[in-house]
Amino acid sequence: MAFVEDKSFKYPAEDECLVRRLGSGVIAAWPGLPPEARAKIMEQAQVAWDREHFVSKLPAKLEAIIKRRG
């Protein structure tokens, strides 16, 4: 599986619903993704741009949302 280069993905407010839907799609597909894809997604999620620039305990919260879905 090819991965994109590391770069900050920024989106306008009107695209937020699309970004949320993509995130929901990733969570739904998570069990079928190869471990290296999962690791890359988690890595990118931790450095992604967001209006909420600081989220305490972000890695643990990202893991928790994946576990809640599974």
Side-chain angles (χ1 to χ4, degrees):
M1 176 179 261
F3 294 109
V4 295
E5 294 177 25
D6 291 343
K7 49 177 123 169
S8 181
F9 171 71
K10 292 187 178 182
Y11 54 88
E14 62 268 16
D15 287 350
E16 189 164 340
C17 67
L18 304 173
V19 174
R20 284 194 311 266
R21 286 173 185 260
L22 282 170
S24 294
V26 168
I27 291 169
W30 194 261
L33 296 176
E36 57 275 1
R38 290 179 180 190
K40 185 65 173 180
I41 291 168
M42 291 301 274
E43 175 187 312
Q44 291 299 307
Q46 291 180 46
V47 298
W49 174 87
D50 191 81
R51 289 181 295 159
E52 188 88 22
H53 67 278
F54 178 76
V55 177
S56 67
K57 301 178 185 169
L58 180 61
K61 288 178 178 177
L62 290 171
E63 290 286 346
I65 198 167
I66 293 294
K67 287 179 182 173
R68 278 199 309 261
R69 172 63 168 92

